[in-house]
Amino acid sequence: MITCVVHYTIDPAQIEAFERFARTWMRLVARHGGVHHGYFLPAEGASDRAEALFSFESLAAYEQYRPRFGVDPEFVAADRIRDESGCVLRYERTFMRPLLPTD
């Protein structure tokens, strides 16, 4: 399993647009073979940070999903929410593998 952790710097004035953007991406990840673990939005402390975590069976499975960006109309529409609202100021992705407890 590979988990993508996305660190966002968001515009706190555009939180509703960010939530629309996030809900759309959660649905798209699930529809295309991934498991979305959710978006984590500001509650206390820094109001401009958000995180997302989603997993795919393998990096190869993620690579089958990735080419849809910028091409598939649903993916383009999701990014349009981000781009037109300005809700995301910056983001970076990190791929991680889980270390699970053993019995």
Side-chain angles (χ1 to χ4, degrees):
M1 179 189 306
I2 189 92
T3 299
C4 183
V5 180
V6 187
H7 308 280
Y8 292 96
T9 302
I10 62 171
D11 179 347
Q14 295 295 331
I15 195 76
E16 288 180 24
F18 185 80
E19 288 179 11
R20 281 195 321 274
F21 166 77
R23 283 189 177 93
T24 302
W25 275 105
M26 285 189 279
R27 182 175 41 80
L28 289 171
V29 166
R31 181 180 296 158
H32 294 285
V35 174
H36 210 293
H37 307 289
Y39 279 79
F40 300 85
L41 306 176
E44 285 188 40
S47 63
D48 66 344
R49 302 274 320 265
E51 309 286 330
L53 289 91
F54 60 92
S55 299
F56 279 85
E57 180 180 304
S58 64
L59 189 55
Y62 174 81
E63 292 297 334
Q64 291 175 351
Y65 153 86
R66 182 76 169 107
R68 298 177 189 280
F69 291 26
V71 177
D72 183 292
E74 287 186 297
F75 284 63
V76 171
D79 281 344
R80 191 174 300 121
I81 296 168
R82 179 197 63 212
D83 296 343
E84 290 178 358
S85 71
C87 64
V88 174
L89 304 175
R90 181 175 176 272
Y91 71 93
E92 62 183 54
R93 285 188 301 262
T94 303
F95 292 92
M96 306 185 94
R97 61 180 176 82
L99 178 63
L100 302 173
T102 57
D103 293 335

